[in-house]
Amino acid sequence: AGAEIGAGTKIWHFCHVYGKAKIGQNCVFGQNVVVSNNVVVGDRCKIQNNVSLYEGVILEDYVFCGPSMVFTNVKTPRCEFPRNTSADYQRTLVKRGTSIGANATIVCGITLSECAFVAAGAVVTKDVPAYGMVAGVPAKLIGWMSAYGDVLAFDDQGYAQDSTGTRYQQVSEFVVKKLESS
Protein backbone atom coordinates (compact mmCIF):
# COMPACT_ATOMS: atom_id res chain seq x y z
CA ALA A 1 0.00 0.00 0.00
CA GLY A 2 1.18 3.50 -0.85
CA ALA A 3 3.67 2.57 -3.57
CA GLU A 4 3.38 4.45 -6.86
CA ILE A 5 3.53 2.06 -9.81
CA GLY A 6 3.20 3.42 -13.34
CA ALA A 7 0.84 2.14 -16.01
CA GLY A 8 2.03 -0.90 -17.93
CA THR A 9 4.66 -1.93 -15.37
CA LYS A 10 4.96 -5.69 -14.88
CA ILE A 11 6.09 -7.09 -11.54
CA TRP A 12 6.72 -10.84 -11.41
CA HIS A 13 6.23 -13.16 -8.47
CA PHE A 14 8.11 -13.08 -5.15
CA CYS A 15 8.80 -9.34 -5.44
CA HIS A 16 8.51 -6.93 -2.53
CA VAL A 17 7.73 -3.27 -3.21
CA TYR A 18 7.74 -0.99 -0.15
CA GLY A 19 5.03 1.59 0.39
CA LYS A 20 7.15 4.67 -0.34
CA ALA A 21 8.65 3.38 -3.61
CA LYS A 22 8.02 5.21 -6.88
CA ILE A 23 8.12 3.14 -10.08
CA GLY A 24 7.60 4.58 -13.55
CA GLN A 25 5.62 3.33 -16.54
CA ASN A 26 6.26 0.23 -18.65
CA CYS A 27 8.96 -1.23 -16.41
CA VAL A 28 9.61 -4.96 -16.02
CA PHE A 29 10.69 -6.48 -12.70
CA GLY A 30 11.83 -10.11 -12.67
CA GLN A 31 11.21 -12.46 -9.77
CA ASN A 32 12.67 -11.89 -6.29
CA VAL A 33 13.17 -8.13 -6.72
CA VAL A 34 13.03 -5.81 -3.70
CA VAL A 35 12.23 -2.10 -4.10
CA SER A 36 12.75 -0.30 -0.77
CA ASN A 37 11.19 2.89 0.55
CA ASN A 38 12.19 6.14 -1.17
CA VAL A 39 13.62 4.35 -4.21
CA VAL A 40 12.77 6.01 -7.51
CA VAL A 41 12.64 4.02 -10.75
CA GLY A 42 12.09 5.86 -14.05
CA ASP A 43 10.11 4.72 -17.07
CA ARG A 44 10.90 1.64 -19.16
CA CYS A 45 13.50 0.17 -16.79
CA LYS A 46 14.25 -3.56 -16.77
CA ILE A 47 15.19 -5.04 -13.41
CA GLN A 48 16.17 -8.68 -13.75
CA ASN A 49 15.79 -11.49 -11.18
CA ASN A 50 17.24 -11.21 -7.67
CA VAL A 51 18.02 -7.47 -7.65
CA SER A 52 17.48 -5.35 -4.53
CA LEU A 53 16.99 -1.62 -4.95
CA TYR A 54 17.80 -0.30 -1.48
CA GLU A 55 16.90 3.11 -0.10
CA GLY A 56 19.07 5.76 -1.71
CA VAL A 57 18.98 4.24 -5.21
CA ILE A 58 17.59 6.38 -8.03
CA LEU A 59 17.22 4.94 -11.52
CA GLU A 60 16.40 7.27 -14.40
CA ASP A 61 14.58 6.07 -17.56
CA TYR A 62 15.71 3.05 -19.61
CA VAL A 63 18.07 1.58 -16.99
CA PHE A 64 18.88 -2.14 -17.25
CA CYS A 65 19.89 -4.04 -14.08
CA GLY A 66 21.19 -7.53 -14.88
CA PRO A 67 20.41 -10.66 -12.87
CA SER A 68 21.67 -10.68 -9.28
CA MET A 69 23.54 -7.37 -9.55
CA VAL A 70 23.90 -5.58 -6.20
CA PHE A 71 23.47 -2.02 -4.96
CA THR A 72 24.82 -1.09 -1.53
CA ASN A 73 23.53 1.89 0.45
CA VAL A 74 25.82 2.22 3.50
CA LYS A 75 29.60 2.76 3.17
CA THR A 76 30.56 1.29 6.55
CA PRO A 77 27.97 -1.26 7.67
CA ARG A 78 28.31 -2.76 11.14
CA CYS A 79 25.93 -5.27 12.66
CA GLU A 80 26.66 -4.20 16.26
CA PHE A 81 26.19 -0.51 15.41
CA PRO A 82 23.37 -0.46 12.83
CA ARG A 83 23.25 2.29 10.27
CA ASN A 84 19.68 1.89 9.13
CA THR A 85 18.09 5.31 9.04
CA SER A 86 17.53 7.51 6.01
CA ALA A 87 20.37 9.75 7.25
CA ASP A 88 22.78 6.79 7.01
CA TYR A 89 21.96 5.87 3.41
CA GLN A 90 24.05 7.28 0.58
CA ARG A 91 22.48 8.18 -2.73
CA THR A 92 23.39 6.23 -5.84
CA LEU A 93 22.26 7.81 -9.10
CA VAL A 94 21.98 5.71 -12.25
CA LYS A 95 21.31 7.97 -15.23
CA ARG A 96 19.26 7.35 -18.34
CA GLY A 97 20.18 4.43 -20.58
CA THR A 98 22.75 2.82 -18.28
CA SER A 99 23.21 -0.97 -18.35
CA ILE A 100 24.57 -2.94 -15.40
CA GLY A 101 25.65 -6.53 -16.04
CA ALA A 102 24.83 -9.66 -14.07
CA ASN A 103 26.46 -10.01 -10.65
CA ALA A 104 27.99 -6.53 -10.73
CA THR A 105 28.24 -4.60 -7.46
CA ILE A 106 27.63 -0.85 -7.28
CA VAL A 107 29.06 0.72 -4.12
CA CYS A 108 26.83 3.50 -2.79
CA GLY A 109 27.42 7.21 -3.15
CA ILE A 110 28.36 7.25 -6.84
CA THR A 111 26.83 8.25 -10.15
CA LEU A 112 26.67 6.10 -13.25
CA SER A 113 26.29 8.72 -15.99
CA GLU A 114 24.16 8.54 -19.15
CA CYS A 115 24.46 5.31 -21.11
CA ALA A 116 27.28 3.94 -18.95
CA PHE A 117 27.94 0.23 -19.37
CA VAL A 118 29.03 -1.91 -16.40
CA ALA A 119 30.37 -5.37 -17.31
CA ALA A 120 29.13 -8.50 -15.58
CA GLY A 121 30.87 -9.11 -12.26
CA ALA A 122 32.42 -5.63 -12.03
CA VAL A 123 32.73 -3.87 -8.67
CA VAL A 124 32.11 -0.17 -9.24
CA THR A 125 33.61 2.05 -6.52
CA LYS A 126 33.65 5.45 -8.25
CA ASP A 127 31.65 7.51 -10.74
CA VAL A 128 31.42 6.27 -14.33
CA PRO A 129 31.38 8.89 -17.11
CA ALA A 130 28.69 9.14 -19.78
CA TYR A 131 29.13 6.37 -22.38
CA GLY A 132 31.95 4.86 -20.29
CA MET A 133 32.45 1.08 -20.32
CA VAL A 134 33.87 -0.32 -17.07
CA ALA A 135 34.96 -3.81 -16.05
CA GLY A 136 36.98 -5.55 -13.36
CA VAL A 137 37.48 -5.54 -9.61
CA PRO A 138 37.67 -2.69 -8.90
CA ALA A 139 36.05 -1.50 -12.12
CA LYS A 140 38.21 0.51 -14.50
CA LEU A 141 37.32 2.41 -17.65
CA ILE A 142 38.06 0.07 -20.58
CA GLY A 143 36.38 1.91 -23.44
CA TRP A 144 33.31 3.71 -24.67
CA MET A 145 29.87 2.59 -25.81
CA SER A 146 27.18 4.45 -27.78
CA ALA A 147 23.64 4.93 -26.52
CA TYR A 148 22.65 2.25 -29.04
CA GLY A 149 25.14 -0.24 -27.57
CA ASP A 150 27.97 -0.18 -30.09
CA VAL A 151 31.58 -0.04 -28.89
CA LEU A 152 33.00 3.29 -30.07
CA ALA A 153 36.31 3.49 -31.95
CA PHE A 154 37.53 7.08 -32.14
CA ASP A 155 39.54 8.39 -35.10
CA ASP A 156 42.65 10.60 -34.88
CA GLN A 157 40.47 13.71 -34.47
CA GLY A 158 38.51 12.12 -31.60
CA TYR A 159 35.29 11.32 -33.46
CA ALA A 160 33.33 8.07 -33.69
CA GLN A 161 30.06 6.95 -35.24
CA ASP A 162 27.82 4.08 -34.19
CA SER A 163 25.79 1.79 -36.48
CA THR A 164 22.80 4.16 -36.34
CA GLY A 165 24.88 7.05 -37.72
CA THR A 166 25.01 8.88 -34.39
CA ARG A 167 28.32 10.67 -33.90
CA TYR A 168 30.33 11.06 -30.70
CA GLN A 169 33.35 13.15 -29.76
CA GLN A 170 36.00 12.29 -27.20
CA VAL A 171 36.67 15.65 -25.55
CA SER A 172 39.25 14.39 -23.03
CA GLU A 173 40.55 11.18 -21.53
CA PHE A 174 37.39 10.78 -19.42
CA VAL A 175 34.77 12.74 -21.37
CA VAL A 176 32.77 11.66 -24.41
CA LYS A 177 29.77 13.55 -25.69
CA LYS A 178 27.06 12.66 -28.15
CA LEU A 179 26.84 15.18 -30.99
CA GLU A 180 23.56 16.68 -32.09
CA SER A 181 22.20 15.41 -35.39
CA SER A 182 22.25 17.92 -38.22
Side-chain angles (χ1 to χ4, degrees), residues 35-107:
V35 184
S36 296
N37 283 323
N38 304 313
V39 167
V40 177
V41 177
D43 295 336
R44 293 179 168 75
C45 292
K46 291 185 180 180
I47 314 301
Q48 301 296 82
N49 297 348
N50 307 312
V51 172
S52 294
L53 303 175
Y54 295 119
E55 189 161 340
V57 173
I58 300 169
L59 307 181
E60 292 185 352
D61 298 343
Y62 294 100
V63 170
F64 175 86
C65 294
S68 302
M69 62 79 47
V70 175
F71 286 102
T72 68
N73 66 351
V74 175
K75 281 271 193 205
T76 58
R78 290 289 193 203
C79 188
E80 186 176 359
F81 303 100
R83 292 166 176 94
N84 57 0
T85 68
S86 291
D88 297 319
Y89 301 140
Q90 293 195 14
R91 184 181 92 151
T92 300
L93 176 59
V94 182
K95 292 195 170 191
R96 180 187 177 97
T98 291
S99 292
I100 304 169
N103 295 307
T105 299
I106 310 301
V107 175

Side-chain angles (χ1 to χ4, degrees), residues 100-123:
I100 304 169
N103 295 307
T105 299
I106 310 301
V107 175
C108 60
I110 64 170
T111 297
L112 304 179
S113 296
E114 293 82 11
C115 299
F117 184 86
V118 176
V123 177

